[in-house]
Amino acid sequence: MNILLLGSGGREHALAWKLAQSSLCEKLYAAPGNPGVAQHAECVALDVTDHGAVIAFCDARAIGLVVVGPEAPLVDGLADSLRGAGVPVFGPSKAAAQLEGSKGFTKDLCARANIPTGGYERVSSEAAAMAALAKFGAPVVIKADGLAAGKGVTVAMTMAEAEAAVQDIFAGRFGEAGAEAVIEEFLEGEEASFFALTDGATILAFASAQDHKRVGEGDTGPNTGGMGAYSPARVLTPELEAEAMTRIIAPTVKTLADEGMPYSGVLFLGLMLTKTGPQLIEYNARFGDPECQVMLMRLESDLAELLLACAENRLGSVQPPKFSPDVALTVVMAGEGYPGEPKKGGLIQGLAEAEAGGAKVFHAGTKLGDDGALLANGGRVLNVTARGASVSEAQTKAYAAVDALTAPDLFCRRDIGWREVAREHEA
């Protein structure tokens, strides 16, 4: 069948790379894609906000599956439009995508379904937010309610930080995403990510990962979209995964179905592993970025088969996804200045040398110059990914690949996987 993949980041390069390996995939299209995606797919110009144009493209190219990579088209209801036109699509409806599109929606759902999560208060003005801060005290978490490209969350350790975060939100820093905010209890513990596939009835566990959100080593500095990740996150034990499935994912899927908005796609749980068990920090309605890259490096199953089964409401008919026991680790190389205004246009060389030892370099924010040279064109530019028998081995291989690249305008953290590396050295 022909497949259309929507998106242009590192996640989409990983999805394209894996979808192109599927026995089901005859022709892969990507819109808009990037130079890395173009190694596996025909990149086309398509405005994903024009639902009619996407549907017309699917009709003209006999598309048998649309895979929506980023969250914005899902929150915009593209999956509904495609389903209405009879096109199988991997991704939730507009109503169900509120799990990511509104932090407040998710917290209210957790309250209705008795899902373990931190205490919270929804606010729609700076004055109400300041009053809520006074109740919670510091440390406290402040979140813009809507989509803010992973940058609308502040973990404030002092009241001064918290008040500044509130002022930023209601001063319009995050646009419409900051029309409302959620003030949230600070949870103690270690963070991990867990992913599951569902068609609204059947739920299959996918994989775990641990992301590194802060821009600086030792988890310092401002939050980013993610500076690196590894999978699996062994801190999320099989017992804890089972608890997350039973106490968080299953009641979420059931509640959404019962309320007339069944969820179909991937559920991405951000979890805090507290002394009382896993608690939900947030949901995302798509594969994470850069978590997707490390999970797909380990995936041994046919990705297209799994995603199509989801789209066709027959997930119970396929085998659960199978993963290599290896660890995969990815290092994000970002433009100088990120997560502020990144430097763009810098030359990138040495990709063949970086991949010579088995690593994979996924393109996140790149473009080709007029002379065909590869140039930096984003905040997060490359995801340098490697596998190994342990986190330490995968880390060593990934940084060897980083060091084989020549990209003077890019930087990276040098400690991705540091918690698990320390645990491995203690063992």
Side-chain angles (χ1 to χ4, degrees):
M1 67 177 174
N2 296 336
I3 300 174
L4 172 63
L5 170 65
L6 303 180
S8 62
R11 166 184 49 227
E12 286 75 35
H13 186 184
L15 287 165
W17 172 72
K18 204 67 183 177
L19 288 168
Q21 298 170 30
S22 170
S23 61
L24 299 179
C25 183
E26 294 177 33
K27 172 82 175 181
L28 180 61
Y29 296 93
N34 65 36
V37 172
Q39 297 166 14
H40 316 285
E42 180 182 330
C43 293
V44 295
L46 199 55
D47 179 2
V48 298
T49 66
D50 185 342
H51 296 189
V54 177
I55 291 166
F57 180 89
C58 291
D59 288 344
R61 302 298 196 284
I63 299 297
L65 175 65
V66 176
V67 178
V68 184
E71 61 276 18
L74 297 171
V75 172
D76 186 45
L78 179 60
D80 304 78
S81 298
L82 288 165
R83 287 193 182 97
V87 180
V89 55
F90 179 78
S93 67
K94 180 175 184 174
Q98 289 179 92
L99 279 183
E100 179 164 6
S102 169
K103 307 293 191 301
F105 173 89
T106 296
K107 298 297 277 192
D108 288 350
L109 181 143
C110 288
R112 294 197 301 278
N114 197 29
I115 291 167
T117 190
Y120 73 103
E121 191 167 325
R122 296 182 72 170
V123 294
S124 55
S125 71
E126 184 174 326
M130 293 299 185
L133 288 182
K135 296 176 195 172
F136 281 93
V140 65
V141 181
I142 300 98
K143 298 178 176 177
D145 182 70
L147 297 179
K151 297 171 189 171
V153 177
T154 299
V155 180
M157 303 310 291
T158 67
M159 287 300 284
E161 282 181 85
E163 290 167 1
V166 164
Q167 289 164 355
D168 270 357
I169 288 173
F170 288 104
R173 180 180 173 192
F174 304 108
E176 290 181 11
E180 292 189 21
V182 175
I183 311 300
E184 199 170 307
E185 175 189 3
F186 175 81
L187 298 175
E188 293 270 6
E190 188 167 337
E191 286 189 46
S193 301
F194 186 48
F195 295 77
L197 302 178
T198 181
D199 57 8
T202 299
I203 305 168
L204 296 179
F206 195 71
S208 66
Q210 189 169 64
D211 187 16
H212 299 61
K213 283 288 185 195
R214 302 276 189 161
V215 73
E217 290 170 23
D219 292 335
T220 57
N223 271 334
T224 70
M227 294 301 295
Y230 67 92
S231 175
R234 295 207 170 97
V235 68
L236 194 60
T237 63
E239 294 77 18
L240 290 175
E241 287 188 3
E243 188 176 346
M245 285 283 279
T246 302
R247 297 189 64 203
I248 300 176
I249 299 173
T252 297
V253 172
K254 183 179 187 305
T255 300
L256 289 172
D258 289 349
E259 295 180 356
M261 41 185 159
Y263 191 101
S264 176
V266 61
L267 276 172
F268 165 4
L269 293 73
L271 298 173
M272 185 67 78
L273 307 181
T274 72
K275 291 178 181 176
T276 58
Q279 294 205 44
L280 182 70
I281 302 171
E282 65 179 1
Y283 268 126
N284 289 320
R286 35 75 193 180
F287 286 110
D289 187 353
E291 295 94 340
C292 183
Q293 291 85 312
V294 289
M295 293 189 298
L296 295 190
M297 280 286 281
R298 298 179 51 236
L299 180 66
E300 295 178 343
S301 303
D302 186 314
L303 180 64
E305 181 184 351
L306 287 165
L307 304 192
L308 184 63
C310 253
E312 294 182 339
N313 298 312
R314 53 176 182 81
L315 193 58
S317 70
V318 298
Q319 290 295 311
K322 183 181 178 185
F323 291 86
S324 164
D326 278 358
V327 172
L329 183 144
T330 191
V331 177
V332 171
M333 298 191 72
E336 287 289 352
Y338 180 77
E341 192 61 36
K343 189 173 183 180
K344 296 182 180 180
L347 185 64
I348 300 168
Q349 295 176 302
L351 267 72
E353 291 81 355
E355 293 186 335
K360 179 68 181 172
V361 180
F362 294 113
H363 295 230
T366 64
K367 69 174 183 179
L368 295 179
D370 294 339
D371 58 355
L374 188 66
L375 306 175
N377 190 44
R380 295 185 296 167
V381 178
L382 300 173
N383 311 137
V384 184
T385 314
R387 278 173 46 169
S390 64
V391 177
S392 301
E393 184 179 321
Q395 184 194 60
T396 297
K397 289 181 176 179
Y399 281 113
V402 166
D403 292 337
L405 291 166
T406 302
D409 291 344
L410 304 185
F411 76 98
C412 67
R413 279 180 56 167
R414 305 292 305 196
D415 65 343
I416 301 303
W418 65 274
R419 288 186 187 85
E420 194 60 33
V421 168
R423 284 191 280 262
E424 287 177 356
H425 289 165
E426 290 168 5

